[in-house]
Coordinates of all heavy atoms in Angstrom, one line a residue:
M1 N -12.1 44.4 17.8 CA -11.4 45.4 16.9 C -10.0 44.7 16.5 O -9.4 44.3 17.2 CB -11.2 46.7 17.6 CG -10.7 47.9 16.9 SD -10.4 49.3 17.7 CE -12.1 50.0 17.9
S2 N -9.8 44.9 15.2 CA -8.6 44.2 14.6 C -7.5 45.2 15.0 O -7.6 46.3 15.3 CB -8.7 44.1 13.0 OG -8.8 45.4 12.4
L3 N -6.3 44.5 14.7 CA -5.0 45.3 15.1 C -5.0 46.7 14.1 O -4.6 47.7 14.5 CB -3.8 44.6 14.8 CG -2.5 45.2 14.8 CD1 -2.4 45.9 16.3 CD2 -1.4 44.3 14.6
E4 N -5.4 46.5 12.8 CA -5.3 47.5 11.9 C -6.3 48.6 12.4 O -6.1 49.9 12.2 CB -5.8 47.0 10.5 CG -5.6 48.2 9.4 CD -4.2 48.8 9.3 OE1 -3.1 48.0 9.6 OE2 -4.1 49.9 9.0
E5 N -7.4 48.3 12.9 CA -8.5 49.3 13.3 C -8.0 50.0 14.5 O -8.2 51.3 14.7 CB -9.9 48.5 13.7 CG -10.6 48.0 12.3 CD -11.8 47.2 12.7 OE1 -11.7 46.4 13.7 OE2 -12.7 47.2 11.9
K6 N -7.3 49.3 15.5 CA -6.7 49.8 16.6 C -5.7 50.9 16.3 O -5.5 52.0 16.8 CB -6.2 48.9 17.6 CG -7.4 47.8 18.3 CD -6.6 47.0 19.2 CE -7.6 46.0 19.9 NZ -7.0 44.9 20.5
F7 N -4.8 50.4 15.2 CA -3.7 51.3 14.9 C -4.3 52.6 14.1 O -3.9 53.7 14.5 CB -2.9 50.4 13.8 CG -1.8 51.3 13.3 CD1 -0.6 51.6 14.0 CD2 -1.8 51.7 12.0 CE1 0.4 52.4 13.5 CE2 -0.9 52.5 11.4 CZ 0.3 52.8 12.2
Q8 N -5.3 52.5 13.3 CA -5.9 53.6 12.8 C -6.5 54.6 13.7 O -6.5 55.7 13.7 CB -6.9 53.2 11.6 CG -6.3 52.6 10.4 CD -5.2 53.4 9.7 OE1 -5.3 54.7 9.7 NE2 -4.1 52.8 9.3
K9 N -7.2 54.0 14.8 CA -7.8 54.9 15.8 C -6.7 55.5 16.6 O -6.9 56.7 16.9 CB -8.6 53.9 16.8 CG -9.3 54.7 17.9 CD -10.1 53.8 18.8 CE -10.8 54.6 19.7 NZ -10.2 55.7 20.5
A10 N -5.6 54.8 16.8 CA -4.5 55.4 17.5 C -3.8 56.6 16.7 O -3.5 57.6 17.3 CB -3.4 54.4 18.0
V11 N -3.7 56.4 15.3 CA -3.3 57.5 14.6 C -4.0 58.7 14.7 O -3.6 59.8 14.7 CB -3.2 56.9 13.1 CG1 -2.9 58.1 12.1 CG2 -2.1 55.9 12.9
E12 N -5.4 58.5 14.8 CA -6.3 59.7 14.8 C -6.2 60.2 16.4 O -6.2 61.4 16.5 CB -7.8 59.4 14.6 CG -7.9 58.9 13.1 CD -7.6 60.1 12.1 OE1 -8.0 61.2 12.5 OE2 -6.8 59.8 11.1
D13 N -6.2 59.3 17.3 CA -6.1 59.9 18.7 C -5.0 60.8 19.0 O -5.0 61.6 19.8 CB -6.3 58.7 19.7 CG -7.8 58.0 19.7 OD1 -8.6 58.7 19.2 OD2 -7.9 57.0 20.3
I14 N -3.8 60.3 18.4 CA -2.5 61.1 18.7 C -2.8 62.7 18.4 O -2.0 63.4 19.0 CB -1.4 60.4 18.1 CG1 -0.1 61.0 18.7 CG2 -1.3 60.7 16.6 CD1 0.2 60.5 20.0
K15 N -3.6 62.9 17.4 CA -3.7 64.2 17.0 C -4.7 65.0 17.9 O -4.8 66.1 17.9 CB -4.4 64.3 15.6 CG -3.6 63.6 14.6 CD -4.3 63.5 13.4 CE -3.5 62.6 12.2 NZ -4.4 62.4 11.1
K16 N -5.3 64.3 19.0 CA -6.3 64.9 19.8 C -5.9 65.0 21.3 O -6.6 65.3 22.2 CB -7.5 64.0 19.7 CG -8.2 63.9 18.4 CD -9.3 63.0 18.6 CE -9.8 62.7 17.2 NZ -10.9 61.5 17.2
L17 N -4.4 64.9 21.5 CA -4.0 65.1 22.8 C -4.1 66.4 23.3 O -4.1 67.4 22.6 CB -2.5 64.7 22.9 CG -2.2 63.1 22.6 CD1 -0.6 63.0 22.5 CD2 -2.8 62.3 23.7
K18 N -4.3 66.6 24.6 CA -4.5 67.9 25.2 C -3.3 68.9 25.1 O -3.3 70.0 25.0 CB -5.0 67.8 26.7 CG -6.3 67.5 26.9 CD -6.8 67.4 28.4 CE -8.1 67.2 28.6 NZ -8.6 67.2 30.0
S19 N -2.1 68.2 25.3 CA -0.8 68.9 25.2 C 0.1 68.1 24.3 O 0.0 66.9 24.1 CB -0.3 69.2 26.5 OG 0.0 68.0 27.2
K20 N 1.3 68.8 23.9 CA 2.2 68.2 22.9 C 3.1 67.2 23.9 O 3.6 67.6 24.9 CB 3.0 69.1 22.4 CG 4.1 68.7 21.3 CD 4.9 69.9 20.8 CE 6.1 69.3 19.9 NZ 7.0 70.3 19.6
P21 N 3.3 66.0 23.3 CA 4.2 65.1 24.1 C 5.6 65.5 24.0 O 6.0 66.5 23.2 CB 4.1 63.7 23.2 CG 2.8 64.0 22.5 CD 2.6 65.4 22.2
S22 N 6.5 64.9 24.8 CA 7.9 65.3 24.7 C 8.6 65.0 23.4 O 7.9 64.1 22.7 CB 8.7 64.7 26.0 OG 8.9 63.2 25.6
D23 N 9.6 65.6 23.1 CA 10.3 65.3 21.9 C 10.7 63.8 21.7 O 10.6 63.2 20.7 CB 11.6 66.1 21.7 CG 11.3 67.6 21.4 OD1 10.2 68.0 21.1 OD2 12.2 68.5 21.6
Q24 N 11.1 63.2 22.9 CA 11.6 61.9 22.9 C 10.3 60.9 22.6 O 10.4 60.1 21.9 CB 12.1 61.4 24.3 CG 12.6 60.1 24.3 CD 13.8 59.9 23.2 OE1 14.6 60.8 23.1 NE2 13.9 58.8 22.6
D25 N 9.1 61.3 23.2 CA 7.9 60.5 22.9 C 7.6 60.7 21.4 O 7.1 59.7 20.8 CB 6.8 61.0 23.8 CG 6.8 60.6 25.1 OD1 7.5 59.5 25.5 OD2 6.3 61.2 26.1
L26 N 7.6 61.8 20.9 CA 7.4 62.1 19.5 C 8.2 61.4 18.5 O 7.8 60.8 17.6 CB 7.5 63.6 19.0 CG 6.3 64.6 19.8 CD1 6.7 66.0 19.5 CD2 4.9 64.2 19.1
L27 N 9.6 61.2 18.8 CA 10.3 60.4 18.2 C 10.2 59.0 18.2 O 10.2 58.2 17.1 CB 11.9 60.6 18.5 CG 12.5 62.1 18.1 CD1 13.8 62.3 18.8 CD2 12.6 62.1 16.6
E28 N 9.8 58.4 19.4 CA 9.3 57.1 19.5 C 8.1 56.8 18.7 O 8.0 55.9 18.0 CB 9.0 56.8 21.1 CG 8.8 55.3 21.3 CD 8.7 55.0 22.8 OE1 8.9 55.8 23.6 OE2 8.2 53.9 23.0
I29 N 7.2 57.7 18.7 CA 5.9 57.5 18.0 C 6.2 57.5 16.5 O 5.7 56.7 15.7 CB 4.8 58.7 18.3 CG1 4.2 58.5 19.7 CG2 3.9 58.9 17.3 CD1 3.4 57.3 19.8
Y30 N 7.0 58.5 16.0 CA 7.4 58.6 14.6 C 8.1 57.3 14.2 O 7.7 56.8 13.1 CB 8.4 59.8 14.5 CG 8.8 59.8 13.0 CD1 8.1 60.4 12.0 CD2 10.0 59.3 12.7 CE1 8.5 60.4 10.7 CE2 10.5 59.4 11.3 CZ 9.7 60.0 10.3 OH 10.2 60.0 9.0
G31 N 9.0 56.8 14.9 CA 9.8 55.6 14.6 C 8.8 54.4 14.4 O 9.0 53.5 13.4
L32 N 7.9 54.2 15.4 CA 7.0 53.2 15.3 C 6.1 53.3 14.2 O 5.7 52.3 13.6 CB 6.2 53.0 16.6 CG 7.0 52.5 18.0 CD1 6.3 52.8 19.2 CD2 7.4 51.1 17.7
F33 N 5.5 54.5 13.9 CA 4.6 54.7 12.8 C 5.3 54.4 11.5 O 4.7 53.6 10.6 CB 4.2 56.2 12.8 CG 3.3 56.5 11.6 CD1 1.9 56.2 11.8 CD2 3.7 57.0 10.5 CE1 1.0 56.4 10.6 CE2 2.9 57.2 9.3 CZ 1.5 56.9 9.5
K34 N 6.5 54.9 11.3 CA 7.2 54.5 9.9 C 7.5 53.1 9.8 O 7.2 52.5 8.8 CB 8.5 55.3 9.8 CG 8.3 56.8 9.8 CD 7.7 57.2 8.5 CE 8.6 57.3 7.3 NZ 8.0 57.7 6.0
Q35 N 7.9 52.4 10.9 CA 8.2 50.9 10.9 C 6.9 50.2 10.6 O 6.8 49.3 9.9 CB 8.8 50.5 12.2 CG 9.3 49.0 12.2 CD 10.5 48.9 11.2 OE1 11.3 49.8 10.9 NE2 10.7 47.7 10.6
A36 N 5.7 50.6 11.2 CA 4.4 49.9 11.0 C 3.9 50.2 9.6 O 3.3 49.2 9.0 CB 3.5 50.5 12.0
T37 N 4.2 51.3 9.0 CA 3.5 51.6 7.7 C 4.4 51.3 6.5 O 4.0 51.0 5.4 CB 3.1 53.0 7.7 OG1 4.1 53.9 7.9 CG2 1.9 53.3 8.7
V38 N 5.8 51.5 6.7 CA 6.7 51.3 5.6 C 7.6 50.0 5.8 O 7.9 49.5 4.8 CB 7.6 52.7 5.5 CG1 8.6 52.5 4.4 CG2 6.8 53.8 5.3
G39 N 7.9 49.8 7.0 CA 8.9 48.8 7.1 C 10.3 49.3 7.4 O 10.4 50.5 7.9
D40 N 11.4 48.6 7.3 CA 12.7 49.0 7.5 C 13.0 50.2 6.7 O 12.4 50.6 5.7 CB 13.7 47.9 7.3 CG 13.7 46.8 8.3 OD1 13.0 47.0 9.3 OD2 14.2 45.8 7.8
V41 N 13.9 51.1 7.3 CA 14.3 52.2 6.6 C 14.8 52.0 5.2 O 15.5 51.2 5.0 CB 15.5 52.9 7.3 CG1 16.1 54.2 6.6 CG2 15.0 53.5 8.7
N42 N 14.3 53.0 4.3 CA 14.7 52.8 2.8 C 15.2 54.0 2.2 O 15.2 54.1 1.1 CB 13.4 52.2 2.1 CG 12.2 53.3 2.3 OD1 12.3 54.4 2.9 ND2 11.0 53.0 1.7
T43 N 15.7 54.9 3.1 CA 16.4 56.0 2.5 C 17.7 56.3 3.3 O 17.9 55.5 4.2 CB 15.4 57.3 3.0 OG1 15.3 57.4 4.2 CG2 14.1 57.3 2.4
D44 N 18.5 57.2 2.6 CA 19.7 57.4 3.2 C 19.6 58.4 4.4 O 18.6 59.1 4.6 CB 20.8 58.1 2.2 CG 21.2 57.2 1.2 OD1 21.2 56.0 1.3 OD2 21.3 57.7 0.0
R45 N 20.6 58.4 5.5 CA 20.5 59.2 6.4 C 20.6 60.7 6.1 O 21.5 60.9 5.3 CB 21.6 58.8 7.6 CG 21.3 59.6 8.9 CD 22.4 58.9 9.9 NE 22.1 59.5 11.2 CZ 23.0 60.3 11.9 NH1 24.1 60.5 11.5 NH2 22.6 60.6 13.1
P46 N 19.8 61.6 6.6 CA 19.9 63.0 6.2 C 21.3 63.5 6.5 O 22.1 63.1 7.3 CB 18.8 63.7 7.0 CG 17.9 62.6 7.2 CD 18.7 61.4 7.4
G47 N 21.7 64.7 5.8 CA 22.9 65.3 6.0 C 23.2 65.9 7.5 O 22.3 66.1 8.2
L48 N 24.4 66.4 7.5 CA 24.9 66.9 8.8 C 24.1 68.0 9.3 O 23.9 68.1 10.6 CB 26.4 67.3 8.5 CG 27.2 67.8 9.8 CD1 27.3 66.7 10.9 CD2 28.4 68.4 9.3
L49 N 23.7 68.9 8.5 CA 22.9 70.1 9.0 C 21.4 69.8 9.4 O 20.8 70.7 9.9 CB 23.1 71.2 8.1 CG 24.5 71.6 7.8 CD1 24.6 72.8 6.8 CD2 25.2 72.1 9.1
D50 N 20.9 68.8 8.9 CA 19.5 68.4 9.0 C 19.2 67.6 10.5 O 19.1 66.5 10.3 CB 19.0 67.7 7.9 CG 17.4 67.4 8.0 OD1 16.8 67.8 8.9 OD2 17.0 66.7 7.0
L51 N 19.3 68.3 11.6 CA 19.3 67.8 12.8 C 17.9 67.0 13.1 O 17.9 66.0 13.6 CB 19.6 68.8 13.9 CG 21.1 69.5 13.9 CD1 21.1 70.5 14.9 CD2 22.0 68.4 13.9
K52 N 16.9 67.7 12.7 CA 15.7 67.1 12.9 C 15.4 65.9 12.1 O 15.0 64.9 12.5 CB 14.5 68.2 12.6 CG 13.0 67.7 12.9 CD 12.0 68.8 12.5 CE 10.6 68.3 12.7 NZ 9.7 69.4 12.5
G53 N 15.8 66.0 10.8 CA 15.8 64.8 9.9 C 16.6 63.7 10.4 O 16.1 62.5 10.3
K54 N 17.7 63.9 10.8 CA 18.6 62.9 11.4 C 18.0 62.3 12.6 O 18.0 61.1 12.7 CB 20.0 63.4 11.8 CG 20.8 63.6 10.5 CD 22.3 63.9 10.9 CE 22.6 64.7 12.0 NZ 23.8 65.1 12.2
A55 N 17.5 63.0 13.6 CA 16.7 62.4 14.7 C 15.6 61.5 14.3 O 15.4 60.4 14.9 CB 16.4 63.6 15.6
K56 N 14.8 62.0 13.3 CA 13.7 61.2 12.9 C 14.1 59.8 12.3 O 13.6 58.8 12.4 CB 12.8 62.1 12.1 CG 12.0 63.1 12.7 CD 11.3 64.1 11.8 CE 10.2 63.5 11.1 NZ 9.4 64.5 10.3
W57 N 15.1 60.0 11.4 CA 15.7 58.9 10.7 C 16.2 57.9 11.8 O 15.9 56.7 11.5 CB 16.8 59.3 9.8 CG 17.2 58.2 8.8 CD1 16.7 58.0 7.5 CD2 18.3 57.3 9.0 NE1 17.5 57.0 7.0 CE2 18.4 56.5 7.9 CE3 19.2 56.9 10.1 CZ2 19.3 55.5 7.7 CZ3 20.1 55.9 9.9 CH2 20.1 55.2 8.8
D58 N 17.0 58.4 12.7 CA 17.5 57.5 13.7 C 16.5 56.8 14.6 O 16.6 55.6 14.9 CB 18.5 58.3 14.7 CG 19.8 58.7 14.0 OD1 20.1 58.2 12.9 OD2 20.4 59.5 14.6
A59 N 15.4 57.6 14.8 CA 14.4 56.9 15.6 C 13.6 55.8 14.8 O 13.3 54.7 15.2 CB 13.2 57.9 15.9
W60 N 13.5 55.9 13.5 CA 13.0 54.9 12.5 C 13.9 53.8 12.5 O 13.6 52.6 12.6 CB 12.7 55.5 11.3 CG 12.0 54.7 10.2 CD1 11.5 53.4 10.3 CD2 11.8 54.9 8.8 NE1 11.1 52.9 9.2 CE2 11.1 53.8 8.2 CE3 12.1 56.1 8.1 CZ2 10.9 53.8 6.9 CZ3 11.8 56.0 6.6 CH2 11.2 55.0 6.1
N61 N 15.3 54.1 12.1 CA 16.2 53.1 12.0 C 16.4 52.2 13.3 O 16.8 51.1 13.1 CB 17.6 53.7 11.6 CG 18.6 52.6 11.0 OD1 18.3 51.9 10.1 ND2 19.7 52.8 11.5
G62 N 16.2 52.8 14.5 CA 16.2 52.1 15.7 C 15.3 51.0 15.7 O 15.5 50.0 16.5
R63 N 14.3 51.0 14.8 CA 13.2 49.9 14.7 C 13.5 48.9 13.8 O 12.6 48.1 13.6 CB 11.8 50.5 14.7 CG 11.4 51.6 15.6 CD 11.3 50.8 17.0 NE 10.9 51.8 18.1 CZ 10.5 51.5 19.3 NH1 10.4 50.2 19.6 NH2 10.2 52.5 20.1
K64 N 14.7 49.1 13.2 CA 15.0 48.1 12.0 C 14.8 46.6 12.5 O 15.2 46.2 13.4 CB 16.4 48.3 11.5 CG 16.6 47.7 10.2 CD 18.0 48.2 9.9 CE 18.4 47.7 8.4 NZ 19.6 48.3 7.8
G65 N 14.1 45.8 11.6 CA 13.9 44.5 11.9 C 12.7 44.1 12.6 O 12.3 42.9 12.6
L66 N 12.1 45.1 13.1 CA 10.8 44.9 14.0 C 9.6 44.6 13.0 O 9.5 45.4 12.0 CB 10.4 46.2 14.7 CG 9.3 46.1 15.6 CD1 9.4 45.0 16.8 CD2 9.0 47.5 16.3
A67 N 8.9 43.6 13.1 CA 7.8 43.2 12.3 C 6.8 44.4 12.3 O 6.6 45.0 13.4 CB 7.1 41.8 12.9
Q68 N 6.0 44.6 11.2 CA 5.1 45.7 11.1 C 4.0 45.6 12.0 O 3.6 46.6 12.6 CB 4.7 45.9 9.6 CG 5.8 46.5 8.8 CD 5.3 46.7 7.3 OE1 5.3 45.8 6.6 NE2 5.1 47.9 6.9
D69 N 3.5 44.4 12.2 CA 2.4 44.2 13.1 C 2.8 44.5 14.6 O 2.1 45.0 15.4 CB 1.8 42.8 13.2 CG 1.0 42.5 11.9 OD1 0.6 43.4 11.3 OD2 0.6 41.4 11.5
K70 N 4.0 44.0 14.9 CA 4.6 44.3 16.3 C 4.7 45.8 16.4 O 4.4 46.4 17.5 CB 6.0 43.6 16.6 CG 6.5 43.7 17.9 CD 5.6 43.1 19.0 CE 6.1 43.3 20.3 NZ 5.2 42.8 21.4
A71 N 5.2 46.6 15.5 CA 5.2 48.0 15.5 C 4.0 48.5 15.8 O 3.8 49.6 16.4 CB 6.0 48.6 14.2
K72 N 2.9 48.2 15.0 CA 1.6 48.6 15.3 C 1.1 48.4 16.7 O 0.5 49.3 17.3 CB 0.6 47.9 14.3 CG 0.7 48.5 12.8 CD -0.2 47.7 11.9 CE 0.0 48.2 10.5 NZ -0.8 47.5 9.5
E73 N 1.4 47.3 17.1 CA 1.1 46.9 18.6 C 1.6 47.8 19.6 O 1.1 48.5 20.4 CB 1.3 45.4 18.9 CG 0.6 44.4 18.3 CD 1.1 43.0 18.7 OE1 1.9 42.8 19.6 OE2 0.7 42.2 17.9
L74 N 3.0 48.1 19.4 CA 3.7 49.0 20.3 C 3.2 50.5 20.0 O 3.2 51.2 21.0 CB 5.2 48.9 20.0 CG 6.0 47.7 20.3 CD1 7.3 47.6 19.8 CD2 5.9 47.4 21.8
Y75 N 2.9 50.9 18.8 CA 2.3 52.1 18.6 C 1.2 52.4 19.3 O 0.9 53.5 20.0 CB 2.2 52.4 17.1 CG 1.7 53.8 16.6 CD1 2.6 54.7 16.4 CD2 0.3 54.1 16.6 CE1 2.1 56.0 15.9 CE2 -0.1 55.3 16.2 CZ 0.8 56.3 15.9 OH 0.3 57.6 15.5
V76 N 0.2 51.5 19.3 CA -1.0 51.7 20.0 C -0.9 51.7 21.4 O -1.5 52.5 22.2 CB -2.1 50.5 19.6 CG1 -3.3 50.3 20.5 CG2 -2.5 50.4 18.1
A77 N 0.0 50.9 21.9 CA 0.3 50.9 23.5 C 0.8 52.2 23.8 O 0.6 52.7 24.9 CB 1.3 49.8 23.8
K78 N 1.8 52.8 23.0 CA 2.4 54.1 23.3 C 1.4 55.3 23.3 O 1.4 56.1 24.1 CB 3.6 54.4 22.3 CG 4.3 55.7 22.6 CD 5.0 55.7 24.0 CE 5.8 56.9 24.2 NZ 6.4 57.0 25.5
V79 N 0.5 55.2 22.4 CA -0.5 56.3 22.2 C -1.4 56.2 23.4 O -1.8 57.2 24.0 CB -1.2 56.1 20.9 CG1 -2.4 57.0 20.9 CG2 -0.3 56.5 19.7
Q80 N -1.7 54.9 23.8 CA -2.7 54.8 25.0 C -1.9 55.4 26.2 O -2.7 56.0 27.0 CB -3.1 53.4 25.2 CG -4.1 53.1 26.3 CD -5.3 53.9 26.0 OE1 -6.0 53.9 24.9 NE2 -5.7 54.8 26.9
S81 N -0.6 55.1 26.3 CA 0.0 55.6 27.6 C 0.2 57.1 27.5 O 0.0 57.8 28.5 CB 1.4 55.0 27.6 OG 2.3 55.6 26.7
L82 N 0.3 57.7 26.3 CA 0.2 59.2 26.2 C -1.3 59.8 26.5 O -1.3 60.8 27.2 CB 0.7 59.7 24.8 CG 2.1 59.5 24.5 CD1 2.5 59.7 23.0 CD2 3.1 60.3 25.5
I83 N -2.1 59.0 26.1 CA -3.6 59.5 26.3 C -3.8 59.4 27.8 O -4.4 60.3 28.6 CB -4.7 58.6 25.7 CG1 -4.5 58.8 24.1 CG2 -6.1 58.8 26.2 CD1 -5.3 57.9 23.3
D84 N -3.4 58.4 28.5 CA -3.6 58.2 29.9 C -2.8 59.3 30.7 O -3.3 59.8 31.8 CB -3.0 56.9 30.4 CG -3.8 55.7 29.9 OD1 -4.9 55.9 29.4 OD2 -3.3 54.5 30.0
S85 N -1.7 59.7 30.3 CA -0.9 60.8 30.9 C -1.2 62.2 30.7 O -1.2 63.1 31.4 CB 0.5 60.5 30.9 OG 1.0 60.7 29.5
L86 N -1.6 62.4 29.3 CA -1.8 63.8 28.8 C -3.4 64.1 28.6 O -3.8 65.2 28.6 CB -1.2 64.1 27.4 CG 0.4 63.9 27.5 CD1 0.9 64.1 26.2 CD2 1.0 64.9 28.6
G87 N -4.1 63.0 28.4 CA -5.6 63.2 28.1 C -5.9 63.6 26.8 O -5.0 64.1 26.0
L88 N -7.1 63.5 26.4 CA -7.6 63.8 25.0 C -8.4 65.2 25.2 O -9.0 65.5 26.2 CB -8.5 62.8 24.3 CG -7.8 61.6 23.9 CD1 -8.9 60.7 23.5 CD2 -6.8 61.8 22.9
Q89 N -8.5 65.9 24.0 CA -9.1 67.2 24.1 C -10.6 67.0 24.2 O -11.1 66.0 23.7 CB -9.0 68.0 22.8 CG -7.6 68.4 22.7 CD -7.3 69.3 21.4 OE1 -8.1 69.4 20.5 NE2 -6.1 69.6 21.2

């Protein structure tokens, strides 16, 4: 299975977890997904009152400079660890 196929499978599997991951895990997954699919942050940081938007932006920006293929590998590994701990439906 190619890296892209593993990544796409992980994207689908994350939606099938038995329970919701922690906020920290969700932010990590979000940052890795955005870095893997878009690359480095290409937007301005959200405003002061957009706490959720800022947290997501910071999670993505924290991956700045990470190669997209490496981000996909880390995403797949993180999803697998969540499946191992939370299980699938």
Side-chain angles (χ1 to χ4, degrees):
M1 188 181 283
S2 73
L3 176 59
E4 187 61 33
E5 290 170 330
K6 289 178 185 175
F7 179 72
Q8 291 304 324
K9 183 179 182 320
V11 169
E12 291 305 312
D13 286 347
I14 195 72
K15 300 172 188 172
K16 301 174 187 171
L17 293 174
K18 282 186 179 178
S19 58
K20 182 181 174 190
S22 71
D23 288 347
Q24 191 58 41
D25 286 335
L26 289 172
L27 285 172
E28 185 176 349
I29 288 289
Y30 176 83
L32 288 169
F33 178 83
K34 291 295 278 188
Q35 189 67 25
T37 57
V38 178
D40 288 344
V41 169
N42 57 3
T43 61
D44 293 331
R45 190 169 191 247
L48 183 64
L49 299 177
D50 185 0
L51 299 178
K52 183 177 179 180
K54 284 194 312 187
K56 290 169 74 173
W57 190 93
D58 289 344
W60 182 12
N61 193 50
R63 301 296 180 168
K64 192 172 189 173
L66 184 65
Q68 286 182 286
D69 282 348
K70 184 63 177 172
K72 287 178 183 179
E73 290 172 14
L74 292 171
Y75 182 92
V76 169
K78 181 64 179 180
V79 169
Q80 187 56 55
S81 75
L82 290 172
I83 290 170
D84 293 344
S85 64
L86 301 175
L88 291 176
Q89 292 180 3

